[in-house]
Amino acid sequence: MKTFMAVLTVVAGIIGLWYLACVPMNIKGVLDAAERAGEQVEPATARERRDASALGLVVQNSFAISRAWSVERPRLPAPHQVATELWDTTVMKKITSKRSLIYHGQVTLSATLLGFAIGTGLGILLAVGIVHSRVMDMSVMPWAIVSQTIPIIALAPMIIVVLYSIGVQGLLPKAIIAAYLSFFPVVVGMVKGLRSPDHMQLDLMKTYNASQGQVFWKLRLPSSMPYLFASLKIGIAASLVGAIVGELPTGAVAGLGARLLAGSYYGQTVQIWSALFAAAILAAALVALLGVLERMLLGRMGVKS
């Protein structure tokens, strides 16, 4: 109960700060609309208001504070506006509708899961090779680290163009971008996990005359599971980001990235924020699902997470 109240307090504080931030962010648009409606505002001209500070305008025009939370196209939408948009584009729309966030979410989710599967498989294979081969440790690991220094926003268009030039379109290009972001956390976590057994445990396996394969399956792999699941949770969130980024340079008409683009093109900030929240909710659900699988698997293995 105490934890719930603490979380509720933090959420309430964030929402309160959000409402406060909406006022100075939207005040100039509110005053412009009030001037066009014939109301008296201070300063009287748009040119003077453009150069004035937002907080000063709030103080001079206190009547406009409540209006800053209901602007049609706000700079910063209020929490209730985002919540209303989320409700309208999920519950109130058919799943097959192209205005439904569930429809767009499942398009992004398919690329996310495929990219996550590719990145996880590649990351685990690389980690096993790095742990068992000093040559791979000295050669592959530095390149894996260097690969993450390339901004994905710059790399994504290159991947899309190259794959399109050889006729690869649709889901796979986005999945490859998602895999690019997800494989590195899996590599690092799996390498750390496979190396987690101490020398006493390894020496004990040697006294039993265990082969390298038996050491791997009986000791290294079970010991690596908590590390693997921790990295998978990071990887699945990164994979979702990669799938969304992969939708941006293609001019996609479906997916959460497409909703972000459409909102940006037409100045629909409420739509942008609702798509961002939908992505955050989707990421939280995927991480929670991995947490459930972690508890189930480690519980059956008798491994403490």
Side-chain angles (χ1 to χ4, degrees), residues 91-129:
V91 178
M92 304 303 293
K93 290 287 187 298
K94 292 182 179 180
I95 296 177
T96 55
S97 171
K98 292 188 177 180
R99 295 194 62 188
S100 170
L101 277 177
I102 296 178
Y103 167 77
H104 290 284
Q106 68 184 10
V107 172
T108 301
L109 179 61
S110 59
T112 299
L113 294 179
L114 179 57
F116 179 65
I118 295 171
T120 299
L122 180 60
I124 291 174
L125 289 176
L126 284 176
V128 172

Side-chain angles (χ1 to χ4, degrees), residues 27 53-63 65:
I27 189 66
S53 71
L55 292 177
L57 292 175
V58 173
V59 172
Q60 291 177 300
N61 303 274
S62 57
F63 72 91
I65 292 177

Side-chain angles (χ1 to χ4, degrees), residues 13-28 30 54-55 58 65 68-69 71 74-79 81 273:
I14 292 173
I15 292 175
L17 290 174
W18 188 350
Y19 271 111
L20 287 176
C22 287
V23 177
M25 289 292 292
N26 299 329
I27 189 66
K28 291 184 180 181
V30 171
L55 292 177
V58 173
I65 292 177
W69 298 321
V71 180
R75 286 186 177 182
L76 177 63
Q81 291 179 298
W273 277 77

Side-chain angles (χ1 to χ4, degrees), residues 72-289:
E72 184 178 353
R73 292 190 176 184
R75 286 186 177 182
L76 177 63
H80 69 271
Q81 291 179 298
V82 177
T84 301
E85 178 71 10
L86 281 170
W87 178 266
D88 290 342
T89 52
T90 53
V91 178
M92 304 303 293
K93 290 287 187 298
K94 292 182 179 180
I95 296 177
T96 55
S97 171
K98 292 188 177 180
R99 295 194 62 188
S100 170
L101 277 177
I102 296 178
Y103 167 77
H104 290 284
Q106 68 184 10
V107 172
T108 301
L109 179 61
S110 59
T112 299
L113 294 179
L114 179 57
F116 179 65
I118 295 171
T120 299
L122 180 60
I124 291 174
L125 289 176
L126 284 176
V128 172
I130 288 169
V131 169
H132 289 90
S133 172
R134 183 168 178 78
V135 174
M136 286 193 67
D137 189 14
M138 299 296 292
S139 58
V140 176
M141 195 62 176
W143 282 107
I145 296 171
V146 169
S147 71
Q148 299 303 299
T149 63
I150 304 173
I152 189 60
I153 198 67
L155 188 62
M158 297 168 57
I159 294 175
I160 297 294
V161 169
V162 170
L163 293 177
Y164 271 33
S165 67
I166 60 176
V168 179
Q169 301 182 20
L171 186 65
L172 189 57
K174 295 186 292 183
I176 290 175
I177 296 169
Y180 171 81
L181 287 183
S182 64
F183 95 97
F184 183 72
V186 176
V187 171
V188 174
M190 196 63 176
V191 168
K192 179 68 174 177
L194 291 173
R195 288 175 172 168
S196 61
D198 56 36
H199 290 293
M200 292 184 63
Q201 292 172 314
L202 294 171
D203 289 342
L204 180 62
M205 295 295 288
K206 288 180 181 179
T207 61
Y208 291 147
N209 199 28
S211 65
Q212 193 173 42
Q214 289 173 321
V215 172
F216 176 80
W217 291 107
K218 300 292 185 180
L219 179 60
R220 290 190 184 275
L221 187 61
S223 299
S224 70
M225 286 296 103
Y227 297 88
L228 175 61
F229 274 101
S231 61
L232 289 179
K233 292 174 184 177
I234 299 172
I236 193 70
S239 184
L240 178 62
V241 172
I244 293 173
V245 171
E247 292 168 348
L248 300 180
T250 62
V253 295
L256 295 177
R259 290 288 289 179
L260 292 172
L261 276 178
S264 176
Y265 288 153
Y266 300 108
Q268 297 288 348
T269 52
V270 179
Q271 178 177 312
I272 294 173
W273 277 77
S274 65
L276 289 174
F277 268 83
I281 293 169
L282 181 57
L286 292 171
V287 171
L289 179 60

Side-chain angles (χ1 to χ4, degrees), residues 1-13:
M1 186 64 182
K2 290 182 178 179
T3 303
F4 175 76
M5 291 302 298
V7 172
L8 192 62
T9 302
V10 171
V11 171

